[in-house]
Amino acid sequence: MTATSEQPPRLDDTAGLIHVRRPSDGTHIADLLLHRPADIAETAIRLRAAQPEWERIGVESRIEWLQSYRQWIVDNTDRLIEIGADEGGRVRNEPMLETTLLVELIDYYSRAAPKLLRTRRIRPGSPLVLGKKLMLHRHPYQLVGVIGAWNFPMLLTIGDALPALFAGAAVMVKPSEVTPLAVRELLRGWEDICAPPVLEAAYGGAAVGGAVVDEADFVQFTGSVATGKRILERAAATITPVSLELGGKDPCLVLAGANLERAANCAVYGGFSNNGQVCMGFERVYVEDSVYDRFVDLVVSRVRALRCGIGDDSDVGALTFAPQLDIVDAQVRDAVARGARVLTGGHRVEGEGTWYAPTVLTDVDHSMAIMREETFGPVLPIMRVTGQEEAIRLANDTEFGLSATVFAEDKHQAEQIAARLEVGAVNIGDFLINMTCVDAPQGGWKRSGLGSRGGEYGLLKYTRTKVVANSRIPTGDREINWFPYTPARRRAFRGAVRLIHGRGLGRFGF
């Protein structure tokens, strides 16, 4: 089953089912009930009815529930990994990263949420309001909609729901119809611990996703730029706030003096982990001329050693989303037609399933789609550059801006380069640390998204602020600047402003 057109549709409207198949060989795994837009409205009603009590019990009680959920995830990790690997055509290390980060997210927000959600006093900076007391309160959006991606379904669906639950919101998650089974299992875990009914799932395709946007008070989406734009347009009709993590075309810069062994190992891992289906994976590598040949040799030898399969001794699995196979193949063919050289791979793998050979391309340039459009597959294009300045210029020559990696002679040079890269995160001599450190915000520049996940903002975005202002001292019948306006009051107010804001003798009218 090497052509995507041979695969039957996942969404079966006639039967009302989602057919889930193994990317590794196309065989059937399970069927899920396909929700209709009307079902989403009913789900929203249930969640809105349950949310006030979830908010009322307070953050400490919510932490207790989420810690119980954490333990369920730990106890059921092996099963979650098996489901995630099976439905995604992935090696087990990839879903294992997801379950690990879910636990770390719960631990982080269990520590951080009480402080982030605490009512705090605002100290007025203007003497005009010194007699006032201002308190900042945070209230959750009542219903958060999370629309997840198929490449890391547990992390990019439930992982985005967790901080919203800590904040006190009810959450409707819509996993990708491509990989819904691990998320369904995580929903079963919420039920198993008898948690309050503030987390439910909606299963379906674009129509269901649109219904989630219509019903939610805040939308978190992870996916393509094209779908992100459609969500923005739909959310604009109801002025619903959104947070988007969209596409990437992340660069890796390798300069003279860098540790080439580590750079090559990192480039291969960053380019081929999860079979290249990582938003922040390396899709472009720029290497300084003096170390280019040596670096390419190191990378090619390591890519040729990668083991394709889904067993415990495998490194690279199948492509999870069948149409992605056509995109990857088309981009490689376009690059070759424009002069690129294939040093290894460069073709589909014959047999059942959606397999593409790990590929290294050289002699690439920015006229090729492989260097400008998101690939999301097991292809690593390596481009020769004259030096640091050209590497920075080319790295920034993109509409995307998720993250980047820099290998340089020393940390000082790398940090200087990092300051000039137009991305949301830069890893120096490493890969994906910004994502695996859940304390840090992870967000994109340019068309790679709006807002971020992780860190303080990852929770606070699910809340609204309310400032309550009161007087600390007894008040009269009216303030000096209230109606009716009179010349005497205007002079008095103007004198007070001059006294507060004036400089030198100007404070006294001179």
Side-chain angles (χ1 to χ4, degrees):
M1 194 175 295
T2 57
T4 60
S5 59
E6 297 176 15
Q7 299 190 9
R10 292 180 181 273
L11 299 180
D12 186 343
D13 289 318
T14 302
L17 297 173
I18 302 172
H19 303 302
V20 185
R21 298 182 178 85
R22 293 179 178 86
S24 59
D25 59 13
T27 57
H28 178 266
I29 306 175
D31 292 330
L32 271 73
L33 184 66
L34 175 63
H35 286 148
R36 311 291 183 184
D39 300 325
I40 308 310
E42 293 176 5
T43 302
I45 291 171
R46 289 195 301 272
L47 289 169
R48 289 185 186 280
Q51 185 274 334
E53 176 63 15
W54 180 245
E55 180 181 0
R56 188 200 65 77
I57 65 175
V59 65
E60 295 295 343
S61 293
R62 295 196 293 271
I63 288 172
E64 290 180 10
W65 280 114
L66 284 153
Q67 282 293 322
S68 295
Y69 191 43
R70 173 196 187 278
Q71 189 58 49
W72 184 94
I73 293 172
V74 171
D75 293 341
N76 291 272
T77 289
D78 289 343
R79 174 162 173 75
L80 291 168
I81 289 172
E82 288 299 320
I83 295 172
D86 196 29
E87 70 174 339
R90 302 188 290 165
V91 297
R92 290 174 178 80
N93 294 59
E94 314 299 353
M96 183 170 63
L97 173 64
E98 293 187 83
T99 57
T100 300
L101 290 179
L102 289 180
V103 170
E104 293 195 1
L105 278 166
I106 293 174
D107 286 344
Y108 167 68
Y109 285 117
S110 292
R111 298 190 303 270
K115 180 180 179 181
L116 294 176
L117 297 173
R118 183 181 304 144
T119 299
R120 67 180 182 88
R121 182 176 176 180
I122 298 173
R123 298 191 178 278
S126 169
L128 294 173
V129 291
L130 280 179
K132 306 300 181 182
K133 176 185 177 182
L134 288 84
M135 302 301 294
L136 175 63
H137 302 261
R138 288 194 174 272
H139 297 274
Y141 287 98
Q142 188 174 28
L143 178 57
V144 169
V146 175
I147 302 176
W150 48 260
N151 57 323
F152 286 98
M154 291 185 280
L155 181 62
L156 300 180
T157 306
I158 298 301
D160 283 327
L162 290 173
L165 291 169
F166 274 101
V171 184
M172 187 189 310
V173 297
K174 188 260 174 210
S176 168
E177 65 273 24
V178 179
T179 50
L181 299 181
V183 173
R184 182 181 67 171
E185 189 69 7
L186 284 163
L187 265 290
R188 187 178 70 82
W190 188 256
E191 295 176 355
D192 282 354
I193 65 170
C194 300
V198 290
L199 176 63
E200 291 197 42
Y203 299 107
V208 169
V212 171
V213 174
D214 293 342
E215 295 294 340
D217 302 313
F218 185 100
V219 176
Q220 166 66 48
F221 169 74
T222 303
S224 69
V225 174
T227 304
K229 287 180 178 179
R230 290 195 293 270
I231 286 174
L232 273 177
E233 291 170 357
R234 189 147 185 164
T238 51
I239 319 296
T240 300
V242 300
S243 179
L244 308 173
E245 199 249 74
L246 306 178
K249 194 70 183 174
D250 286 11
C252 175
L253 286 65
V254 182
L255 303 175
N259 179 339
L260 293 186
E261 292 281 346
R262 180 174 177 84
N265 289 330
C266 184
V268 173
Y269 180 65
F272 298 97
S273 60
N274 209 44
N275 204 13
Q277 300 165 123
V278 182
C279 296
M280 289 169 284
F282 297 154
E283 296 214 353
R284 301 174 289 152
V285 183
Y286 301 102
V287 185
E288 192 166 357
D289 181 71
S290 61
V291 297
Y292 178 86
D293 292 334
R294 173 61 177 156
F295 175 82
V296 169
D297 288 344
L298 290 170
V299 167
V300 170
S301 66
R302 285 156 173 76
V303 173
R304 286 175 176 162
L306 291 175
R307 300 159 298 177
C308 294
I310 55 174
D312 288 337
D313 59 350
S314 301
D315 301 309
V316 178
L319 284 163
T320 302
F321 187 41
Q324 203 65 31
L325 183 60
D326 290 334
I327 294 172
V328 172
D329 193 49
Q331 287 192 8
V332 171
R333 289 176 181 272
D334 169 78
V336 171
R338 294 174 183 271
R341 286 196 305 144
V342 178
L343 298 190
T344 187
H347 57 83
R348 302 175 188 233
V349 176
E350 292 300 320
E352 299 296 320
T354 50
W355 298 85
Y356 197 88
T359 299
V360 176
L361 300 177
T362 58
D363 295 345
V364 293
D365 60 50
H366 279 219
S367 71
M368 303 171 183
I370 201 83
M371 296 296 284
R372 305 200 68 86
E373 300 173 10
E374 189 171 31
T375 305
F376 226 57
V379 182
L380 193 67
I382 307 175
M383 184 172 178
R384 187 191 302 263
V385 296
T386 57
Q388 171 180 312
E389 292 304 312
E390 185 180 22
I392 295 172
R393 178 178 63 80
L394 291 171
N396 289 335
D397 181 24
T398 176
E399 65 182 11
F400 300 105
L402 271 180
S403 67
T405 286
V406 177
F407 285 92
E409 185 171 9
D410 55 54
K411 291 182 179 180
H412 177 70
Q413 180 192 19
E415 288 172 352
Q416 287 185 319
I417 294 170
R420 298 172 61 188
L421 295 176
E422 298 167 358
V423 293
V426 179
N427 294 288
I428 294 176
D430 221 318
F431 172 65
L432 218 58
I433 298 303
N434 60 297
M435 180 178 175
T436 53
C437 178
V438 297
D439 310 55
Q442 173 211 325
W445 290 18
K446 302 179 182 178
R447 293 194 179 186
S448 286
L450 297 171
S452 64
R453 62 164 55 90
E456 296 182 359
Y457 178 78
L459 184 150
L460 294 179
K461 69 184 179 184
Y462 294 124
T463 67
R464 297 163 289 186
T465 58
K466 178 188 290 183
V467 174
V468 177
N470 201 352
S471 292
R472 295 190 295 113
I473 57 178
T475 58
D477 292 339
R478 62 168 58 91
E479 297 292 323
I480 192 173
N481 58 317
W482 290 3
F483 295 136
Y485 293 148
T486 65
R489 281 189 177 156
R490 188 161 48 249
R491 286 193 298 270
F493 187 72
R494 181 68 185 95
V497 170
R498 184 185 299 118
L499 184 64
I500 292 168
H501 295 297
R503 297 291 184 268
L505 294 178
R507 299 174 64 187
F508 305 101
F510 296 106

